[in-house]
Amino acid sequence: MAKHKTHYEECDILVVGGGMAGTGATFEARHWGRDMKIVCVEKANIDRSGAVAQGLYAINCYMGMQWGENQPEDHVRYARNDLMGMVREDLGYDMARHVDSTVHMFDEWGLPMMKNEKTGRYLREGKWQIMIHGESYKPIVAEAAKKSADKIYNRIMITHLLMDESQENRIGGAVGFNMRTGDFHVFRAKAVIVAAGGASHIFKPRAVGEGMGRTWYAPWSNGSAYALPIAAGAKMTQMENRIVLCRFKDGYGPVGAYFLHLKTYTQNANGENYEKKWYDQTKELVGEYIDHHPTPTCLRNHAFIQEVAAGGGPIHMVTKEAFQDPHLETVGWENFLGMTVGQAVVWASQNIDPKYTNPELTTSEPYVMGSHATCSGAWVSGPEDLSPPEYFWGYNRMLTIDGLFGAGDTVGGSAHKFSSGSFTEGRLAAKAAVKYIEDKKADGIKVSNKQCEDFKAKVYKPLDNYTIGRNEITGGTVSPSYISPIQGLQRLQKIMDEYVGGITSNYMTNGNMLKRGLELLEWLQEDLENVGAEDYHQLMRAWELKHRALTSQCVTEHTLFREETRWPGYYYRGDHMKLDDENWHCLTVSRRDPKTGKFTMEKVPVYHIVDEKEEKKAS
Ligand SMILES: Cc1cc2nc3c(=O)[nH]c(=O)nc-3n(C[C@H](O)[C@H](O)[C@H](O)COP(=O)(O)OP(=O)(O)OC[C@H]3O[C@@H](n4cnc5c(N)ncnc54)[C@H](O)[C@@H]3O)c2cc1C
C-alpha cells in the first residue's frame, strides 16, 4: 500500500467522467464559475472517451426550433410515448428547450454538419436526428472542456465518492487511482458532477469467447455512473427499464439510418411483415399503447422476439431494393464506415453484400443507461420553474445527496437525450452546481485523511489478494483463494442472464427468479472481496466489475418491485405479463442504505406536465 503515492487535489467542482455529459459540464462550469477551480477526471483519455467513441453519424436530439420544426413539448410527447408513459417530463422538457443552443455551439466549434442543399437547414435523418460527420465529434467537445478546466486528469478511474463528515448527506469529493502509474488520487470538492456513462456487460452478451467485447453499448461503459451514487446512498429511479436493441446481427450496426433515410423495412424468413401478425397478442398485453404512433420501440422488439420464438426467424432487413440506387448504396456503406466499421467487416467476412442479400437482424442483450431510448439512473431534482414539489429540492440535476449532481446516462427519467442532450444536461448540472457553491451550501466541508486512507486500503485490496493468492496457483490462473476479474464478470453475467431476463431466458423473469438472482448476487458480492488483480489494468477491471455488480443488484431490486410487464420486448415478468396502469402508472425509486447494504423501494407519481398544461389551456 505504502508504495502507492497519494496525490491530493482541492477544487470547487469535480466532474467524474469526460464523455458527452462531462465535457458539457466542464465547459459550462467555467462559464458560470469564472473564478472557480474546475477539475475533470476521466477513466480513459478525454479526446476519444465515452460512448460516442463507438462512432456515430447523427446527432439524435435536435429540435430545430429556429425553423419551427419541433418544440420541446413535442419531444416530451415522443419520449413519453416511447417509454410507455414513464418519463420525468420536467427533465425532458428542460433538456429539450436547451438542446438546440448546444448543437449550434458544436456547429460554431467546427463539427462537420451535413446541410440540406435546398433549404440550407441541417440535414434531417428523421424527425429528431440531424446528420453529421462524427469522426471529429469527441475531440471537438473535448477541446472545449480542456480549455475550460483548470485540470483534466486522464487514466484515473474514480472508485468511491467522499462524504462530508461535518454534515449528514453532503458530498465531499471522490477518490480513484491512475491506471498507468498506480498512484492514488484524492479529490476534495465542494460539488461533484457524476457523468460516468451507462452499463454494458452486466447481462451475458450474445458474443462470448473470442467475440466478447462485441456489444452494442460501449464495452467500457461499466456502470460507475450508478454504482458511485448507489454506494453513497443516493436514490435511483427506473433501474428496471433496461434496453434491448434491434440491430444488424453480430456487428450491432445501427438500423436508424436504414429505416429513416434508406427507407428499408423488415420481414421474416418467409418474406412476411411479421409485426402485423402480433398486433392482437400485443394488444392483449398492453392495450391501447400498441395503437400509438410511432409504435414504442419495446413493442416492435416484442413482435420480433415473438416471431423468432414462433419459428419465423431469421428476421431480415430488406436492403436489396434501396441499394439499387447508387446514392443510397453509398449512404448505407458510409453509415457503417463512419460509425460501426465492424459491421462492414462482418458482412465482408460472411459474403453479405446488402445489394444482393438482405442482412439478418438480432435483438441484443440488455443494457442499462439513462440517455438513449431508455431512462434508468439517478433520481434528481428538476428545474425550479417546471417541476412539481416531489421532483424539486433546490438545485437542478442534484441527486438526493447535497452537492452531488448528475448528467447524461447518470440521470434517470429523461430518455432520448443522446449525445447532444447529454452534453446539454451536463451544462444544466454545472450551472446549478455553481449556484449551489455560490449560495454557500458547500461551506465547512470536512473530509478527513482517515476517510481517504480507508478507501485507499479498499481500492488496492485486489492487488494484495493476488500477491498472496498467486502462491497457491494450482495451474494456469486457478487459485483457491482469489478470483480474477474476468471470472467474476462471467459469473455476474450468468446470474443476470438467467435470472433477471437476459437472452438465455428470452428476456423472461418472475418474482421467484429475481429473488434467487438477488441471493446469488449477494454471494457474488461477498466473493468479490477476494477478487485478485495482477496489475493496474486488472485493478481497473476489478473495480469495473464491482461497479457492475452493484448496478446489477439495483436493477434486480427494481425489476422485482415493479409487478407488471411495462415494456414487453425489453423484459417480461412472467408472473405479471400484462401492463397494469391501475397499479403501476408510476415511477419506481430505490435507496440502498450504505450502512446495511439493504435496498428500500417506493412508488413516486409520474406527472404528465405537458398534457396537464394543455388540459388547463383547454378548460
Ligand atoms: C453504439 C452507440 C451509438 C450511438 N449513436 C448515437 C448517435 O448516432 N447519435 C447520438 O446523438 N447519440 C448516440 N449515442 C448515444 C451517446 O453516445 C450517449 O447518449 C452519450 O455518450 C452519453 O453521454 P454520457 O456522458 O452520459 O456517457 P459517455 O459519453 O459514455 O461518457 C462517460 C465517460 O465516463 C468515463 N468513465 C466511466 N467510468 C468512470 C470512472 N469510474 N471514473 C472516471 N471516468 C469514468 C468514460 O470513460 C466516459 O468517457 C450512441 C451510443 C452508442 C453506445
Side-chain angles (χ1 to χ4, degrees):
M1 252 255 291
K3 71 178 180 167
H4 298 111
K5 204 170 155 189
T6 303
H7 302 264
Y8 293 93
E9 178 78 86
E10 307 239 346
C11 59
D12 292 295
I13 296 182
L14 174 69
V15 180
V16 177
M20 286 309 296
T23 49
T26 308
F27 167 78
E28 193 76 10
R30 174 59 67 223
H31 180 83
W32 299 100
R34 293 272 150 196
D35 303 324
M36 289 189 180
K37 186 166 180 188
I38 296 149
V39 169
C40 175
V41 183
E42 164 58 47
K43 182 173 80 159
N45 185 309
I46 189 171
D47 282 338
R48 290 280 172 200
S49 68
V52 298
Q54 289 272 94
L56 45 76
Y57 221 60
I59 285 176
N60 281 353
C61 185
Y62 178 71
M63 301 299 115
M65 284 185 271
Q66 61 175 326
W67 298 306
E69 290 176 335
N70 298 293
Q71 297 302 323
E73 290 88 342
D74 301 325
H75 193 265
V76 169
R77 285 190 198 101
Y78 166 66
R80 177 174 66 203
N81 174 52
D82 198 41
L83 274 290
M84 309 287 279
M86 299 299 115
V87 286
R88 281 275 305 267
E89 296 185 13
D90 57 331
L91 301 180
Y93 188 96
D94 192 29
M95 179 279 298
R97 67 181 164 178
H98 289 105
V99 72
D100 282 9
S101 72
T102 291
V103 174
H104 299 159
M105 284 197 312
F106 294 162
D107 196 354
E108 279 167 28
W109 294 345
L111 179 67
M113 323 276 290
M114 295 189 206
K115 297 271 167 64
N116 181 321
E117 282 172 15
K118 287 197 196 114
T119 62
R121 298 179 186 178
Y122 296 132
L123 182 66
R124 282 275 177 201
E125 185 190 58
K127 188 168 166 59
W128 306 104
Q129 301 85 350
I130 53 173
M131 298 192 73
I132 59 166
H133 294 285
E135 198 277 337
S136 56
Y137 197 4
K138 191 66 211 299
I140 285 173
V141 296
E143 190 182 334
K146 286 196 278 195
K147 285 185 173 151
S148 305
D150 286 272
K151 195 153 186 187
I152 305 269
Y153 285 88
N154 286 317
R155 304 286 171 201
I156 291 183
M157 179 176 184
I158 294 296
T159 54
H160 300 87
L161 296 174
L162 291 165
M163 297 302 286
D164 175 21
E165 291 158 40
S166 69
Q167 192 178 303
E168 187 88 1
N169 198 42
R170 189 164 67 160
I171 204 72
V175 296
F177 67 96
N178 184 306
M179 288 167 286
R180 296 286 157 91
T181 64
D183 289 354
F184 187 64
H185 286 259
V186 173
F187 301 92
R188 288 188 167 98
K190 293 179 181 163
V192 176
I193 302 171
V194 173
S200 62
H201 277 294
I202 66 171
F203 286 85
K204 188 171 107 189
R206 287 204 184 269
V208 292
E210 60 79 31
M212 192 179 166
R214 206 190 288 147
T215 53
W216 169 74
Y217 213 62
W220 49 83
S221 298
N222 70 288
S224 295
Y226 313 119
L228 292 169
I230 292 168
K235 288 186 177 178
M236 307 300 286
T237 188
Q238 299 295 99
M239 290 297 281
E240 70 278 22
N241 181 212
R242 79 290 291 277
I243 188 170
V244 168
L245 284 300
C246 170
R247 288 292 181 266
F248 285 109
K249 190 163 184 308
D250 293 336
Y252 290 109
V255 294
Y258 277 68
F259 279 131
L260 298 170
H261 200 67
L262 277 64
K263 309 288 180 219
T264 60
Y265 55 93
T266 59
Q267 63 184 24
N268 70 8
N270 300 322
E272 297 160 343
N273 173 347
Y274 61 90
E275 285 192 13
K276 277 199 243 159
K277 277 169 60 181
W278 296 100
Y279 173 84
D280 291 339
Q281 188 254 19
T282 311
K283 191 149 191 155
E284 275 285 298
L285 297 178
V286 301
E288 53 90 28
Y289 286 87
I290 185 61
D291 298 320
H292 288 196
H293 292 286
T295 307
T297 312
C298 62
L299 300 184
R300 298 193 68 185
N301 278 359
H302 173 69
F304 187 124
I305 293 164
Q306 297 306 307
E307 181 66 16
V308 173
I315 305 296
H316 291 113
M317 179 75 96
V318 180
T319 51
K320 286 200 279 190
E321 293 161 15
F323 272 61
Q324 300 310 315
D325 175 337
H327 170 65
L328 294 184
E329 183 184 14
T330 307
V331 173
W333 280 108
E334 266 186 8
N335 196 252
F336 287 156
L337 295 175
M339 185 156 44
T340 318
V341 179
Q343 186 67 57
V345 176
V346 168
W347 282 354
S349 70
Q350 296 181 350
N351 277 347
I352 296 171
D353 180 344
K355 197 171 179 176
Y356 306 108
T357 309
N358 292 328
E360 248 182 86
L361 297 170
T362 190
T363 51
S364 73
E365 61 277 3
Y367 308 96
V368 177
M369 77 201 68
S371 73
H372 212 274
T374 183
C375 63
S376 303
W379 182 242
V380 299
S381 173
E384 193 170 5
D385 62 331
L386 288 176
S387 305
E390 274 116 319
Y391 295 176
F392 178 72
W393 48 93
Y395 296 91
N396 202 357
R397 267 63 177 186
M398 189 166 84
L399 280 66
T400 53
I401 293 175
D402 292 342
L404 180 61
F405 294 78
D409 276 329
T410 308
V411 169
S414 53
H416 288 275
K417 292 176 283 205
F418 296 97
S419 60
S420 46
S422 295
F423 191 96
T424 305
E425 201 169 47
R427 296 176 61 196
L428 294 167
K431 183 179 178 187
V434 168
K435 182 152 193 321
Y436 170 87
I437 295 170
E438 282 175 344
D439 288 350
K440 308 213 172 304
K441 301 286 186 197
D443 288 1
I445 293 174
K446 183 174 173 261
V447 174
S448 67
N449 282 352
K450 179 175 181 312
Q451 186 183 163
C452 304
E453 286 301 314
D454 287 350
F455 278 131
K456 186 175 181 181
K458 269 193 190 156
V459 167
Y460 291 104
K461 187 157 179 277
L463 289 177
D464 299 340
N465 289 343
Y466 175 78
T467 307
I468 298 162
R470 72 178 166 191
N471 299 315
E472 297 165 301
I473 287 175
T474 51
T477 54
V478 180
S479 166
S481 55
Y482 77 90
I483 56 170
S484 65
I486 186 71
Q487 288 165 340
L489 181 66
Q490 285 169 348
R491 187 166 141 195
L492 170 69
Q493 291 175 346
K494 185 171 157 63
I495 298 168
M496 294 301 286
D497 181 49
E498 292 179 351
Y499 292 94
V500 193
I503 48 174
T504 299
S505 62
N506 223 9
Y507 312 104
M508 179 64 73
T509 185
N510 64 36
N512 292 324
M513 301 283 276
L514 291 162
K515 282 181 201 147
R516 178 66 181 151
L518 281 171
E519 253 174 11
L520 294 171
L521 285 172
E522 200 178 319
W523 298 334
L524 170 68
Q525 299 219 57
E526 275 173 32
D527 287 350
L528 289 187
E529 284 303 305
N530 300 314
V531 69
E534 57 186 284
D535 54 32
Y536 298 133
H537 188 75
Q538 288 301 311
L539 188 62
M540 173 191 75
R541 289 283 185 244
W543 280 102
E544 286 183 339
L545 170 60
K546 282 167 181 264
H547 285 185
R548 282 188 166 105
L550 192 53
T551 302
S552 300
Q553 203 183 357
C554 188
V555 168
T556 310
E557 292 277 2
H558 273 256
T559 312
L560 178 61
F561 185 62
R562 186 181 280 283
E563 292 183 333
E564 65 160 350
T565 300
R566 169 71 43 179
W567 306 276
Y570 288 168
Y571 75 95
Y572 302 86
R573 275 289 304 253
D575 46 353
H576 300 280
M577 273 301 279
K578 290 195 177 179
L579 181 145
D580 177 4
D581 260 345
E582 206 171 304
N583 295 301
W584 290 99
H585 198 92
C586 62
L587 300 168
T588 57
V589 173
S590 68
R591 181 176 184 269
R592 178 184 173 276
D593 184 333
K595 293 196 183 96
T596 63
K598 297 282 173 233
F599 280 82
T600 45
M601 302 291 315
E602 61 182 309
K603 291 180 180 182
V604 177
V606 58
Y607 290 109
H608 295 308
I609 296 166
V610 167
D611 286 340
E612 200 181 74
K613 273 188 187 157
E614 280 184 349
E615 275 159 28
K616 272 184 195 153
K617 256 192 255 160
S619 62

